[in-house]
Structure formats: C-alpha cells, structure tokens
Amino acid sequence: MTPALLGHLSVSLALAFSLLGLALALLAYFQGDGRFLRGARALVPLAFLGALAAFLALEWALLTHDFSLAYVARNHSTKDPLWVTLVTPWAALEGSLLLWGLLQTLYTLLASKKALDPWRASLVLAVLYGIQVFFFGVMATLASPFTTLPNPPADGVGPNPLLQNHWMMAVHPVLMYLGFVGLSVPYAYAVAAMAVRRYQTWVEETRWWTLVAWGFLTAGKVAGMWWSYEVLGWGGYWAWDPVENASFVPWLLATAFLHTALVQQTRGSFKAWNFAFVTLAFAATVLGTFLTRSGVLQSVHAFAEGPVGPAFLGFFLLATGLGLGLLSRVSREVRDAAAFRPLSREGALLLGAFFFAGWALVVVLGTFYPLLVEAFAGAKVSVGAPFFNQLSAPLGAGILLLMGVGPLLPWRRAREEALRNLYLLLGVLLLGTLLGLLRGYTPGASLALGLFLYNLAAVFLLVREGVLGRVRAGLSPWGFLENRRRVGSLLVHFAVALMGLAIAFSQTYRLESEKTLYRGEAWEVGGLKLTFQGVRALDEGRRFAVEALLKTDRFGEVRPRLHFYPQMNAPLPAPKVVYTPGNDYYFLLMDFDREKGEWASIRLILTPLVFWMWVAGGLMALGTLYSLWPAGRPKEAEGVSPA
C-alpha cells in the first residue's frame, strides 16, 4: 500500500458512499420509506472515514517525503519544519479541497445525529450528500491530491513562502473552511423546510449551526487579518483583495440571518428573508471559492489558482437556483401577516440586516465590476480601496448605531422608557463625538469614538436592565450571567464596537517613516529612539535570513528580518512588531549593505489601537462560545433577546 493508492481508494470510496447516500436519501423522501433513510444515515460515517483516510494518506505522503505525488513535489521539501509539513495539505488547491471534503463529511455526520421528521431528515441528508458528491467528484476528476509523477524529483520546492512565514497560516484556512462548510447545514435545513413547506421550526434548529459557522468565520477572518498584518500587508490588515472580499460576503449575510432569525423565532416574521439570507450566505461561500480557485481576478491568494473554476461556478449557480427557486415557489406562503412597526426591536433588526446585506452587495459589485467590464467591453479597470472605504464607512456607522439602540427597543412598538434610553444614548453619542473633536481628532475618528461610547452605554443599560429585573423578582443578580445567549451577544456587540474604534483610529493616524542608517547611527521617530548596530546573516536550512540589529530606548533590541527563499526572486520581509495598547511599532528591514553590512534601510510604522483589534477578535470568539455553551440554551425558549 502506498499513500497514492490509499488516497485514490479513499477518495473513490467517499465519493461512492456519498452518491449512494444521496440516492437513498432521495428515495426515502419520494417513497416515504424509512428503510432508505436508515440506509442513508448508515453511510454517513463511512463517507467520513473515507475522507479521513484520504486526508491521512496525504499527511503520510508529506511526512515520508513521497515525491512521487505531484502535490508533494510541488508543495513540500525535505527542509520544511514539521509544523509546515503538517499544515501543507491546505497549502494548495488539491489539498485544500480534500480538507474541505473532510470537514463537509464531519458536518454531515454531526447533522445526521439531530432528530428531525423523516421527510426533512431525508432532504437535509440529500442536500449535504449532494455537496459531498460535488467535492469528491472534483477531487476524483479535476484536482486529485494523489496524482503521481512518472519521474519523481529527489526533493521538492516547499510550499509558498507566504504560507510558511507565520504560524497563523496553520489555523487561518482551517477556521475559514469550518465557517464556510458550516453554512451548508443551515442551507440544507432551509431547502428541506421550503420543500416540505414547514417554515417555522427550521430557524430555531439552524440558528445554532449558523452561529457555529459564524464564529469560525469570524475567528478565521481575524486570523487572516493578523497574518496579513505581520506578513503581507506591511502593517495593513485589510486590502479589499478579491478573496478577502469573497470571504467577507458570507460573513455579512450570515450576520444578517442571525438577526432576522431572532425575529422569526420571537415574532414569526421575516420567513422569506431568512430563507433568502441562508441561501445567499451558502452560495457566497461557493462563489468565494470560485474566485479563489479560478484565477479570474488578480489576488494575493493567487497561489490557490487551479482548473476547477468552471465547476465551482456551475455549483454556485445550482445552489443559488435551488434555494431561490424553492423560495419563489413558496413566496406566497411565507409572506408576513403581522403589521410591521419600524420603531421597534424587529424594525431595528430588519434595518440592521438590510445594512449587512447592502454592504455585501457593495462588496460583490466592487469585486466583480472589473471582471464584467473586461468581459463586455474588453477594458481593464480596477476598483481600489477608496471605493470600498467610502461606501463601507457609512454602512459600518449605521450598523454601530443600530447595534446600540436595537436591543433596548421592545418588540412591536417603542415604549416611553425605551425612548428615554434612546435619548440618553444619543446624548452619549453627541458628547463622545464632541470630545473627539475637542481633542483634535478628525470628524471620522471623533464619530467612531462617539459610537464606541454610545455602544458601551447601551451594553451598560442592558446589563443594568437585566440585573435589576432579577433583583425586583427576588432572584440573585449573578443569575444574569447564566443567560449565556444574552451575555454572549452583549460581549460580541461590545467587541464589534471596539473593533470599529480600532479600525477608525488605525486607518486615520497611521504614521510611516523610512531612513537609511549607518552602523552606530541613531534615529528618533514617533517618540522612539533607535540605533542601528549592524546586520547578521543566518543560514536556516530551507532559507537564508538577514536581520538588522536595532537597539531601542523603550523595547530593548529588535530584529526585523528579510527571508530569502530559493523559490522566490525577491526577499520576503519578516517585520518585528512591538504591540502596545496605544501604538504598534512595526519595524521593517527594507534593504542592507550586502558587502560589509555597514548600512540598512529601516521603515518604522506606528499604528494606533491595532492591539485592540486582536483583543476584539478574541472577545467575539469568546462571546460566540459563551452563547453556544449548552447550559445557556434553555434561556432561548424564554424568548430572551441576544441582540
């Protein structure tokens, strides 16, 4: 047995089990025969084991340096450290598809354990099996990780240096895939609900799945931003790159669904919107993969290009057509019967969802506009960061505004007490903005400060309301913490406000300076004094490295580097970042004296409040985890709002 043989066999078995499971699930639905459903369920763990065996076969090939596999020869070398070898399966197209397939079978396995009526259970399994058939079919035909070479090389070139220059790449893709694949379960539930015309319970059953996927997407995006910040972006964490945009769209749409789903759970409204948001969120994950894998747009993720773009485009059209086609068929039955009142909690939630969906539309239009112009007019155009920034800023501000007041509004219509809270919050917003202006901040940064304080006050009022309510009922105030869903959502809302503040200040007050220093020369910049002490060259096996020795008066010695990989023509900077709550100090070695090491060009970037972005990312993950904790779930039945 060789890794190639085991891999081919495992992928084939996973595909065969998925095809058979799909057929049995459809038979169970159309024949109304429970024996077919039991058969379909029995195949779920077998497909998972097939995918797991294929993944382990690829790891086996990498760990044993089996360069007879084309994937190993292209993406691995004997000099790679162990952690790079272990994460190489998702360093390129074929391996990342295999990881996706493995996670898809895992989600199908977990979803199959949930109790549902046999009609919906059959269709949920059919949809999830259908997705598996697509992925394993692609691996079996277009992009096999186990293609062999007639003349294997003695060694490979290793993965793209961008992927082995920071440990964050070990987790970023996995988190993103867990989020992408996780959205397939709500999509399957939505398709089943529309097909059997049962429109209410699916939201309660899938909101948990959506929150899991949303949490992974959030963590994955923050991890990607951090990787970009330290490796790719030279102090930037978001470049509106097409692939960044593509992964942002499902996050926005899933966020919209999480808010409108709450209204359906509590008030029975917005059924059509929920079907639409879930369908589009899942379809957006496929669209994002099409962008990543097709190479139709220039991207920093170009290392993931491959021949599967048309297949993903077809799958995107199929998934979108299935969901929206079913929604069109049942549209008369899912119309809202109750009167809609804009000045209420449901009004704020729907408006917030529109902001998220509108933002998604802006990102899609800006991302695809160059492609459409080239296709229809033959001209090459680009849409840069100014377009996205100008349209995203008011949308983000609107979301922050609604995020503060929405949870304080009651259902149906606003009462006098709620209006008093609204006036109080607007007062905090005004004072916070004025405070920023008086301190000399720009209008945008001042508004961001005002919105942060406004949301902080809203969180305080919500906590106060919850605690006082328990005290008046003769209960322990600490019992408020047991309402995990509400506390988790408050933590997430606070984290979003904190991230908005960090983004506004880091974008507005970034300071960048560059200077060529000679040995022993000092440089004072940004309140920091640094002295260049020379350069040092290192042989690290898989690469050469040159580091500048800089002595600073605040942080001791810092050593920004340049890495030289044999597969790259240009050196890859490895900056040294000193994180502080006020400013990040980002040291870059730009160039150096290659003969005597007597001089070096150093770039220093000071960026305020970036530290709090990573804190906010951690708080968002923590809040999501707290909301999902099982002990908090009984509170959901009480209709307590997490928003």
Side-chain angles (χ1 to χ4, degrees), residues 24 28 32-40:
L24 290 175
D33 191 332
R35 290 174 298 177
F36 292 126
L37 178 58
R38 287 195 293 274

Side-chain angles (χ1 to χ4, degrees), residues 312-343:
F312 271 90
L313 182 60
F315 187 55
F316 160 73
L317 295 174
L318 177 65
T320 308
L322 177 62
L324 296 185
L326 285 170
L327 179 57
S328 174
R329 192 185 71 160
V330 302
S331 59
R332 291 176 181 273
E333 302 167 31
V334 295
R335 285 179 181 170
D336 294 332
F340 174 69
R341 299 182 183 281
L343 194 56

Side-chain angles (χ1 to χ4, degrees), residues 233-246:
W234 286 16
Y237 43 80
W238 192 261
W240 295 110
D241 175 80
V243 178
E244 290 176 349
N245 295 349

Side-chain angles (χ1 to χ4, degrees), residues 240 248-249 251-257 259-260 273 277 342 346-364 388 390-406 451 454:
W240 295 110
F248 191 34
V249 172
W251 184 90
L252 290 168
L253 294 170
T255 309
F257 168 72
H259 288 82
T260 52
W273 286 113
F277 285 143
E346 55 262 46
L349 288 168
L350 183 61
L351 187 56
F354 283 168
F355 270 94
F356 283 114
W359 201 347
L361 181 62
V362 165
V363 175
V364 169
F388 293 105
Q390 287 175 11
L391 291 177
S392 296
L395 289 167
I399 288 170
L400 288 173
L401 195 63
L402 288 167
M403 194 174 72
V405 70
L451 284 168
Y454 160 90

Side-chain angles (χ1 to χ4, degrees), residues 127 131 187 191 194 275 278-287 311-326:
V127 172
I131 297 169
Y187 172 75
V191 168
M194 288 187 283
F275 285 128
V278 163
T279 297
L280 293 175
F282 173 68
T285 67
V286 183
L287 182 66
F312 271 90
L313 182 60
F315 187 55
F316 160 73
L317 295 174
L318 177 65
T320 308
L322 177 62
L324 296 185
L326 285 170

Side-chain angles (χ1 to χ4, degrees), residues 61 64-78 147-158:
T64 56
H65 312 307
D66 185 353
F67 295 109
S68 67
L69 291 187
Y71 185 87
V72 177
R74 288 199 309 267
N75 301 290
H76 174 66
S77 83
T78 55
T147 301
T148 55
L149 297 173
N151 299 301
D155 201 351
V157 296

Side-chain angles (χ1 to χ4, degrees), residues 33 46 57 64 85 114 119 124 133 152 161 175 197 216 239 246 268 278 302 308 322 346 371 438 469 573 586 640:
D33 191 332
L46 297 178
T64 56
T85 300
K114 296 293 182 181
W119 287 273
V124 167
V133 167
L175 292 171
R197 288 183 158 86
F216 280 125
V278 163
V308 299
L322 177 62
E346 55 262 46
L371 185 62
L438 289 173
Y586 192 99
V640 179

